[in-house]
Amino acid sequence: MKKIFFFAAACAAMLTSCSDDDSSSSGGSNAPLSVKVNGTLKKFSNVEVELEGQRVYVVAMSTNHSEILSFETDLGYTGDGYVFYVQYVKDNTIYWEGENTTSNVEVNTENRLKGTFGATVESYNDNGDVDETLTLTNGKFDLPY
């Protein structure tokens, strides 16, 4: 429940803090978080990082607010497999982490998170069946906070 609340709160904060002149769906050339979605590079400059106890929550939003990427990790852990609960939202469709998440966290301190990730994410129809699958590859993040 905390995860859902943080996700909603971070999205609301980003929506209210972004200026009206944002027109590009990708971030700047030095975006702190980037990933390929089905082969198309997405860059996120609007990134919020929240440390709550030992849990680190990351929420990134495209400048036109049509795409959101979020994930979690545990403070202090580095190495393979420490990015989890990957979610991707595009045009109000939520894609949940599937079976094939990979990650390597290089730096994980109280003021910086750096690493790489990839995942398969899935949306579901009203019957609970997989509706669409997206592949996230070459994900990179370098997030001072």
Side-chain angles (χ1 to χ4, degrees):
M1 186 61 138
K2 272 187 184 177
K3 178 173 71 166
I4 293 170
F5 176 76
F6 171 74
F7 183 73
C11 291
M14 284 185 193
L15 284 172
T16 59
S17 67
C18 297
S19 67
D20 290 339
D21 61 353
D22 289 342
S23 60
S24 171
S25 65
S26 63
S29 61
N30 293 322
L33 194 152
S34 64
V35 64
K36 286 187 177 181
V37 178
N38 282 354
T40 301
L41 181 62
K42 307 289 182 173
K43 295 181 180 179
F44 296 89
S45 293
N46 300 322
V47 181
E48 294 287 329
V49 180
E50 178 78 21
L51 177 61
E52 187 174 308
Q54 294 300 304
R55 184 62 62 128
V56 181
Y57 299 93
V58 176
V59 178
M61 184 180 292
S62 63
T63 55
N64 69 1
H65 308 152
S66 66
E67 296 171 278
I68 301 168
L69 177 71
S70 66
F71 62 85
E72 300 175 22
T73 190
D74 288 322
L75 181 65
Y77 288 88
T78 58
D80 294 336
Y82 288 108
V83 168
F84 35 85
Y85 300 123
V86 176
Q87 290 181 348
Y88 178 70
V89 179
K90 182 176 181 182
D91 299 325
N92 297 319
T93 300
I94 301 173
Y95 297 84
W96 304 92
E97 179 177 344
E99 297 287 320
N100 301 315
T101 300
T102 61
S103 65
N104 182 20
V105 177
E106 300 168 30
V107 177
N108 189 351
T109 67
E110 290 184 353
N111 57 17
R112 186 171 179 215
L113 182 63
K114 180 180 179 181
T116 60
F117 71 98
T120 300
V121 292
E122 303 166 331
S123 66
Y124 296 90
N125 62 26
D126 293 336
N127 296 326
D129 299 320
V130 174
D131 190 40
E132 184 179 15
T133 301
L134 302 176
T135 304
L136 309 180
T137 57
N138 296 352
K140 298 176 185 176
F141 53 91
D142 191 354
L143 308 169
Y145 63 99

